[in-house]
Amino acid sequence: MSRLAGVTDLDARRKQALEAHEAAATVIAVCDGPGCNAAGSAKVAAALRRAVADAGLEGSVQIKTTGCHGFCQCAPVVVAYGDGLFFRGATPDQAPAIVEAAVNGQPIPESVLYRHPATNEPIALERDIPFYAHQERRLLKHASHIDPLQVADYLAVDGYAALARALTEMTPEAVLEEVKQSALRGRGGAGFPTGMKWELCRRAEGDQKYVICNADEGDPGAFMDRALLEGNPHSVIEGMAIGGYAIGASRGIMYIRAEYPLAVRNAALAIEVAREMGLLGEDILGTGFSFDLDIVTGAGAFVCGEETALIASIEGFAGEPRPRPPFPAQRGLFGKPTNINNVETWANIPLIIRHGAAWFSEIGYERSRGTKIFSLVGEVQNTGLVEVPVGMTLNEIVFEVGGGPKPGRTIKAVQTGGPSGGCIPASLFDVRVDYESLAQVGSIMGSGGLIVMDDRTCIVDVARYYLRFLKSESCGKCTPCREGVPRMLEVLDRIASGEGSDADIDLLGQLGRTVKGASLCGLGQTAANPVLSSIRHFRHEFDAHIHEKRCPAAVCTALITFHIDAEKCTGCTACARACPQQCITGERKQPHVIDPERCIKCGACLDACRFDAVVKE
Amino acid sequence: MIRIEIDGNAVEVAEGSTVLEAARKLGIDIPTLCHHAGLTPYGACRLCVVEVEQRGRKRIESSCTRPVEPDMVVRTDTDDLREYRRTTAELLVAQCPDSKPIRELAERLGVQNVRFEGRGMECILCGLCTRACQQKIGTPAISFIHRGVDRKVATPFEIQSDVCIGCGACARVCPTGCIAIEDMGNKRVLRVFNTELELQACSECGAYFAPQRMIDRLKTETEVTEGLLTRCPACRRQAIGAVLRQAMR
Amino acid sequence: MLLRPLERSSNEGPELKRVYLVPNRCLGCEECIEACKREHDWVACNYIEWVNRIYPVQMVCNHCAEAPCELICPAGAIHRTETGAVVVEDDKCIGCTLCNIVCPFGIPKFSEEDRHAIKCDQCAERVAAGKEPACVEACPMKALTFAEVEDYEAERRERTARRILEVGTCLRRFVAKKES
């Protein structure tokens, strides 16, 4: 890859890339995100390449593996462009049929055809699928067009045009002003205005400054940053270079958790290519601006997402936070002014510079502008990565993009912001998903995890789950978090086992207030949110556990029993054979009985019964 | 000098001072456990939390770590702060039920009964010993290992330390007194850290007076005559006394 | 020589006062130690050493110019005050006892109870109030003087001269007696 001496070189390379793209009549994009990869996308891609070769179509059909498209529910996802034919759950043996459909336009074989989950109506084109149709894709717009390892793909969608524009047409102050005007706020969760953060760091005195990309995404069920880094690492690099220019930093560090090996690999390869092309390093595009990037892999501690802990981790110390001030903008990495933004924030920067602050902020709600990527998971029809305007209501996200509850179920709540966020009940789904509105209902925006729960989810159990997570992720430095979180968990365990009392709710409140108020860092200060918000919105479920010794969702094992409905039981013995305790007895073709004394409530009988005769309550 | 207001009283302190220092200058008692004037602020015990108001925004911060800034308004005794301190102290007692200093402190902060089962620890993980050892003595013999509830202070791999000089600073900064130093014959034993050190015998009287590693370190770090360092302080005084007597007779 | 020569007085600033001992005046009565205890929360910073079990020598911190204790203290808890005294800041002391072991004179003590090093502060409060250090004031034999080194040396010269004169007069008498 030869070095680009200036903007003309960059434009020439872009033209080249575009011409190469136009040469291929059909591009079949195979999603190689983690979900699709686990579902076998690599084999599908290989089979597709073989099928193309067998059909002698190498000249006109190109197979491309890309980052995450977002619709993980349909993994492995394959899309054929020109038109955008959508194939769900592709398998290697369907490859020839997919190639044929892609070339001829139709028909899509039934086994890989997407059908609307409610109406069962077939939908052939990607853009017609409700999951995509209700989104506003800006960051993910090219997710299915870019092979993360091919810089040409990024150039073809105007990649690095923003960097070129910033360096040649704008002063650092102008770049900063543009970012401020855009009203972009930190996508890591706290929502601090990005432009203001940059300005603090720019104004701080220091011979050396750093910009850091926080890719230590640790919330359970969140994968936005991972998808961006894996699928389009160049956009993050470009954003960081622009940030370095505006702030006056010549060095950048991407802090990526080691559990994201593909993100680490793709980012490292992208940095190498950018360096070879002269888009990183000394004298970028002949403008005299120098900026270089390194990757540091984190050992995967949730607390390292907190910026002072992250800095300590990069410096080689244990990832433990320290009190602020001094803020990293004043004294950060190695004591130098440092600006930290998360992956999604950085990825937004090139868009703002390329299209302008006005374009960016035209969508959004009140003080929250632009789009936000969420990982929509849990008990909804369509799980995956979704990008919507900030301020869309939860209703729209859950029911229109997410497709609503699974058959026969009702949605009860959504947890936003992961373990730092809160549980929002369905009755409040009119709430807009923006920083301020979510805070009002006791939750936070967070980095973008949206976990949907239906009537089979016990709120007490969910709160216990988050506290268990936080207990094991607390660094243990400060007393309220280290000692308080496990004590809250003890109390919840007591409630879940039916031994709770009303005093326990008060105790949870008192512990929660102290953990929230007195803890040292963001992890502790938000650790009580899942419990406090679920008590606030689902007090009746806590009361059912405490007073009626009953778990309404039939989840808390101490409060449920299994028995067999004699009416429905056919005596097939499937349950008795599955029972590890061998505590189900009964003659063949006669109703069976579970011995409650010996039953360990594992649920194996429930799974084994084909006649819905096993009852859990 | 920077002027701030604490609990309605104005106080002037040098730039770079902490809110805790300013409060103590006013004679306001703020409880602390992880604070030591000779060590860098840490902000871990969270007993010294105060409410800091700046430009109309209130934040709860640890006073031991918070540098003063002009026009800061600090409150040290609100209902919330009292609850935070009381709950935190209760949690500490539950962690170290047998620690007398902790129980006394908790009582002073209004903890009447402890609603949790004891964890049976003796250490409250304030980090004074690790900071003294790492930052001041400069031989990082001990540090925190594990995290969360499993966190503890130990030597690497919890075995005999290769670098501990046996100075005992860890024991002397410990607020709960849970680090014991025992001198037995020619050995100094730090049982909690599984570490035993040879003691130096005085070249004059033969008494064991300091760990050999400590003497070795002083040999490299000072210009005091080597022969002197292997003498115990009492024998040094004797020798000097004799010289003085000789010289001034 | 047992110890490296240590500069007695600071090179900068005004001449500073020290506690000096005239050894042959010391009776070993320990009044100075009692006075020091009263002044310093019942822990004395000075010692009486009995040389050859017969001769008492009062010993106290020399406040060395390049004080090894000050140089070695890792916590920066030992510093020199404006009056030239080398003092321990109790609340900064981390109790490493390095000062005890490094002192060539074996002077600093360590209080396990108070958990900090203890050494002579030359009675900072008394001196500030224009008084002499407690030990000097208490000595019934005037064996201790609190003076600047020049004054002390002058006094010592005079003392020695007087002694020589005494010895000379004595000799002359002896010779005269013999001659007569």
Side-chain angles (χ1 to χ4, degrees):
Chain A
M1 197 73 61
S2 63
R3 200 179 155 83
L4 306 174
V7 178
T8 26
D9 279 8
L10 178 68
D11 289 341
R13 190 70 66 78
R14 192 188 321 284
K15 200 164 159 241
Q16 235 176 6
L18 281 168
E19 279 165 3
H21 272 241
E22 275 155 19
T26 306
V27 176
I28 299 180
V30 183
C31 174
D32 199 24
C36 291
N37 189 298
S41 64
K43 281 182 187 150
V44 173
L48 284 168
R49 286 201 179 91
R50 260 195 321 274
V52 169
D54 291 349
L57 293 167
E58 281 115 323
S60 58
V61 178
Q62 191 193 348
I63 308 294
K64 176 182 287 194
T65 50
T66 69
C68 180
H69 295 192
F71 206 176
C72 307
Q73 185 83 43
C74 297
V77 172
V78 174
V79 184
Y81 301 103
D83 298 332
L85 286 185
F86 185 87
F87 305 90
R88 62 174 292 276
T91 52
D93 46 319
Q94 288 289 350
I98 291 173
V99 172
E100 205 187 320
V103 173
N104 302 330
Q106 292 284 355
I108 298 175
E110 182 59 35
S111 67
V112 291
L113 176 67
Y114 180 78
R115 284 179 179 275
H116 193 289
T119 60
N120 211 28
E121 158 203 2
I123 303 175
L125 296 180
E126 185 188 29
R127 61 173 177 271
D128 296 336
I129 294 174
F131 175 78
Y132 289 109
H134 290 100
Q135 295 189 40
E136 169 76 34
R137 291 196 151 211
R138 288 179 165 185
L139 293 164
L140 298 176
K141 186 175 178 188
H142 304 296
S144 50
H145 299 265
I146 294 176
D147 179 340
L149 302 184
Q150 301 298 326
V151 67
D153 285 1
Y154 186 56
L155 292 178
V157 295
D158 282 339
Y160 289 107
L163 178 62
R165 175 158 183 249
L167 295 184
T168 55
E169 296 169 27
M170 298 167 86
T171 61
E173 290 81 5
V175 174
L176 186 61
E177 192 50 38
E178 198 71 30
V179 175
K180 277 172 85 177
Q181 284 299 319
S182 74
L184 171 66
R185 292 168 69 178
R187 296 297 193 233
F192 193 82
T194 305
M196 205 190 284
K197 199 172 189 177
W198 285 19
E199 194 169 30
L200 288 174
C201 191
R202 180 178 168 76
R203 281 208 202 130
E205 277 176 41
D207 47 346
Q208 171 75 57
K209 292 179 186 178
Y210 294 99
V211 291
I212 294 177
C213 172
N214 180 351
D216 193 61
E217 185 176 51
D219 299 18
F223 44 89
M224 303 74 56
D225 296 344
R226 172 184 193 154
L228 275 174
L229 261 187
E230 284 176 356
N232 194 358
H234 283 287
S235 66
V236 183
I237 294 171
E238 188 182 3
M240 290 184 75
I242 295 169
Y245 177 68
I247 289 163
S250 60
R251 302 269 299 167
I253 288 170
M254 277 192 189
Y255 184 85
I256 312 175
R257 54 172 39 211
E259 288 96 321
Y260 284 1
L262 193 60
V264 174
R265 188 198 70 174
N266 288 1
L269 291 172
I271 287 173
E272 213 170 290
V273 167
R275 217 178 266 149
E276 281 169 19
M277 291 172 70
L279 294 165
L280 283 178
E282 300 289 317
D283 192 19
I284 294 171
L285 291 174
T287 58
F289 172 66
S290 301
F291 179 82
D292 211 345
L293 266 180
D294 282 304
I295 291 179
V296 173
T297 50
F302 181 59
V303 71
C304 286
E306 201 279 341
E307 53 185 20
T308 57
L310 186 149
I311 287 172
S313 173
I314 294 178
E315 287 172 346
F317 297 101
E320 284 168 16
R322 61 158 176 81
R324 300 172 299 177
F327 289 92
Q330 302 160 301
R331 220 162 48 238
L333 185 62
F334 305 119
K336 307 290 185 189
T338 302
N339 181 75
I340 304 178
N341 286 122
N342 101 319
V343 175
E344 193 180 337
T345 315
W346 286 121
N348 267 305
I349 301 298
L351 299 182
I352 292 170
I353 299 300
R354 204 186 308 153
H355 301 290
W359 170 85
F360 178 84
S361 58
E362 76 192 5
I363 55 171
Y365 180 72
E366 289 187 346
R367 285 172 53 212
S368 312
R369 314 305 305 181
T371 60
K372 176 81 193 83
I373 306 180
F374 293 98
S375 50
L376 183 62
V377 294
E379 308 300 322
V380 273
Q381 293 279 6
N382 307 329
T383 57
L385 207 58
V386 306
E387 183 177 355
V388 295
V390 182
M392 196 183 226
T393 65
L394 260 185
N395 255 332
E396 289 173 284
I397 297 177
V398 173
F399 290 95
E400 288 176 18
V401 181
K406 291 188 172 166
R409 295 285 146 200
T410 49
I411 287 174
K412 172 153 89 181
V414 165
Q415 174 93 9
T416 69
S420 314
C423 215
I424 301 170
S427 58
L428 293 176
F429 275 8
D430 285 339
V431 68
R432 287 178 183 272
V433 181
D434 66 79
Y435 298 96
E436 279 73 28
S437 310
L438 286 178
Q440 273 172 19
V441 294
S443 184
I444 62 164
M445 177 85 126
S447 60
L450 281 182
I451 300 176
V452 182
M453 306 168 211
D454 67 13
D455 52 346
R456 282 178 303 185
T457 318
C458 169
I459 295 296
V460 178
D461 189 60
V462 170
R464 280 171 74 204
Y465 167 78
Y466 282 118
L467 283 188
R468 270 201 298 275
F469 174 82
L470 290 162
K471 178 186 166 188
S472 73
E473 291 296 338
S474 165
C475 76
K477 179 171 176 177
C478 77
T479 316
C481 175
R482 178 191 69 236
E483 301 296 324
V485 169
R487 297 302 182 179
M488 290 176 82
L489 179 58
E490 274 177 27
V491 177
L492 278 180
D493 284 348
R494 196 151 68 215
I495 293 172
S497 61
E499 287 156 21
S501 65
D502 280 334
D504 283 339
I505 300 281
D506 296 339
L507 184 54
L508 279 177
Q510 190 193 337
L511 283 169
R513 282 194 300 277
T514 300
V515 171
K516 192 172 179 166
S519 287
L520 167 58
C521 80
L523 189 154
Q525 285 161 8
T526 55
N529 282 353
V531 176
L532 294 179
S533 70
S534 41
I535 293 179
R536 176 170 158 191
H537 297 303
F538 292 93
R539 178 66 192 256
H540 55 278
E541 284 206 24
F542 284 83
D543 286 343
H545 285 76
I546 292 170
H547 298 140
E548 301 162 34
K549 312 291 176 207
R550 185 174 66 82
C551 176
V555 171
C556 298
T557 41
L559 302 179
I560 55 171
T561 52
F562 285 84
H563 67 263
I564 293 171
D565 184 344
E567 299 276 300
K568 288 186 180 165
C569 181
T570 61
C572 71
T573 75
C575 56
R577 278 178 280 132
C579 179
Q581 283 289 87
Q582 299 184 326
C583 66
I584 302 177
T585 48
E587 292 296 312
R588 179 173 278 276
K589 301 206 172 149
Q590 293 295 317
H592 282 46
V593 180
I594 300 176
D595 176 4
E597 293 293 307
R598 283 162 60 213
C599 173
I600 56 168
K601 301 167 187 177
C602 64
C605 50
L606 187 72
D607 295 338
C609 181
R610 283 171 292 143
F611 307 98
D612 287 339
V614 178
V615 184
K616 175 172 87 165
E617 57 185 20
Chain B
M1 296 297 272
I2 289 181
R3 191 187 164 83
I4 67 166
E5 188 192 307
I6 305 181
D7 292 343
N9 303 305
V11 62
E12 267 197 9
V13 285
E15 198 176 336
S17 307
T18 62
V19 170
L20 180 69
E21 284 159 353
R24 290 201 168 156
K25 196 174 172 187
L26 279 174
I28 296 170
D29 177 39
I30 298 178
T32 59
L33 276 174
C34 69
H35 173 77
H36 190 289
L39 298 171
T40 50
Y42 196 54
C45 76
R46 313 308 287 175
L47 286 176
C48 72
V49 284
V50 294
E51 184 186 284
V52 176
E53 186 178 336
Q54 270 181 311
R55 292 176 288 275
R57 288 186 62 189
K58 289 178 188 173
R59 283 183 59 180
I60 303 291
E61 299 187 58
S62 45
S63 59
C64 67
T65 57
R66 182 66 162 100
V68 291
E69 280 169 34
D71 303 321
M72 213 174 191
V73 177
V74 177
R75 284 173 209 93
T76 69
D77 200 27
T78 67
D79 288 346
D80 282 351
L81 293 173
R82 272 196 295 274
E83 181 181 34
Y84 298 161
R85 288 191 193 133
R86 200 173 54 240
T87 314
T88 305
E90 185 180 344
L91 290 167
L92 284 171
V93 178
Q95 184 191 354
C96 305
D98 299 325
S99 170
K100 196 163 161 253
I102 300 299
R103 272 187 286 132
E104 283 170 359
L105 178 71
E107 213 166 290
R108 191 153 68 80
L109 295 173
V111 177
Q112 277 149 4
N113 63 327
V114 176
R115 290 163 287 183
F116 313 106
E117 202 178 312
R119 287 224 280 135
M121 287 179 73
E122 289 177 52
C123 166
I124 52 156
L125 305 165
C126 67
L128 283 174
C129 54
T130 57
R131 269 178 286 157
C133 189
Q134 294 173 4
Q135 300 172 355
K136 300 301 174 184
I137 308 302
T139 48
I142 48 170
S143 65
F144 285 113
I145 60 167
H146 305 312
R147 69 181 181 206
V149 282
D150 300 323
R151 186 175 170 97
K152 63 192 276 194
V153 177
T155 56
F157 308 108
E158 302 189 61
I159 54 170
Q160 165 89 21
S161 168
D162 305 342
V163 290
C164 171
I165 60 166
C167 68
C170 49
R172 292 174 191 121
V173 293
C174 177
T176 67
C178 68
I179 304 171
I181 298 182
E182 296 160 273
D183 285 355
M184 297 189 262
N186 63 344
K187 289 269 194 305
R188 171 165 289 187
V189 183
L190 287 98
R191 218 179 284 275
V192 277
F193 299 137
N194 300 324
T195 294
E196 271 188 19
L197 294 154
E198 294 277 329
L199 288 172
Q200 172 81 42
C202 173
S203 56
E204 292 285 312
C205 67
Y208 295 107
F209 69 98
Q212 267 175 14
R213 285 216 193 118
M214 202 161 149
I215 306 284
D216 291 345
R217 164 144 172 202
L218 287 177
K219 282 180 187 166
T220 63
E221 285 189 13
T222 78
E223 292 178 42
V224 172
T225 319
E226 241 188 77
L228 252 179
L229 290 170
T230 50
R231 264 185 204 186
C232 72
C235 288
R236 288 179 210 176
R237 287 197 298 274
Q238 269 289 319
I240 300 289
V243 171
L244 282 178
R245 176 77 202 169
Q246 197 71 31
M248 298 189 176
R249 195 163 50 189
Chain C
M1 188 61 192
L2 204 55
L3 55 140
R4 190 171 76 89
L6 288 162
E7 298 274 330
R8 269 300 179 88
S9 64
S10 171
N11 294 328
E12 313 126 30
E15 280 298 305
L16 298 161
K17 289 188 172 182
R18 293 277 178 280
V19 175
Y20 294 108
L21 169 73
V22 184
N24 50 2
R25 285 190 197 164
C26 177
L27 295 176
C29 68
E30 301 199 352
E31 279 299 319
C32 52
I33 293 185
E34 292 305 316
C36 189
K37 277 190 191 169
R38 280 193 296 276
E39 187 65 25
H40 295 107
D41 285 338
W42 306 105
V43 189
C45 318
N46 50 359
Y47 303 82
I48 301 284
E49 288 300 321
W50 291 85
V51 176
N52 300 335
R53 298 187 186 167
I54 305 171
Y55 305 111
V57 178
Q58 189 267 5
M59 293 190 67
V60 72
C61 174
N62 287 309
H63 302 277
C64 311
E66 287 173 27
C69 57
E70 183 189 355
L71 296 176
I72 202 75
C73 177
I78 300 181
H79 74 278
R80 188 178 297 277
T81 64
E82 281 173 10
T83 63
V86 176
V87 301
V88 180
E89 279 176 83
D90 298 351
D91 58 346
K92 280 195 181 172
C93 174
I94 57 167
C96 64
T97 68
L98 284 172
C99 53
N100 301 37
I101 308 299
V102 81
C103 177
F105 304 97
I107 298 293
K109 290 182 178 175
F110 188 81
S111 161
E112 287 291 348
E113 195 179 326
D114 300 330
R115 299 187 185 191
H116 58 73
I118 290 173
K119 67 176 289 302
C120 171
D121 64 345
Q122 240 173 36
C123 291
E125 282 172 30
R126 290 177 59 95
V127 171
K131 290 195 242 174
E132 290 191 313
C135 52
V136 176
E137 194 185 83
C139 181
M141 295 302 292
K142 302 277 175 247
L144 298 174
T145 34
F146 185 57
E148 286 173 12
V149 66
E150 292 297 317
D151 296 345
Y152 173 68
E153 292 293 334
E155 195 243 28
R156 197 169 128 192
R157 271 196 301 276
E158 196 191 317
R159 205 179 339 125
T160 314
R162 202 176 291 131
R163 215 162 64 203
I164 291 169
L165 195 65
E166 273 171 21
V167 173
T169 315
C170 196
L171 264 178
R172 261 200 307 279
R173 278 198 202 127
F174 180 71
V175 170
K177 203 175 174 184
K178 207 161 189 187
E179 280 174 357
S180 70

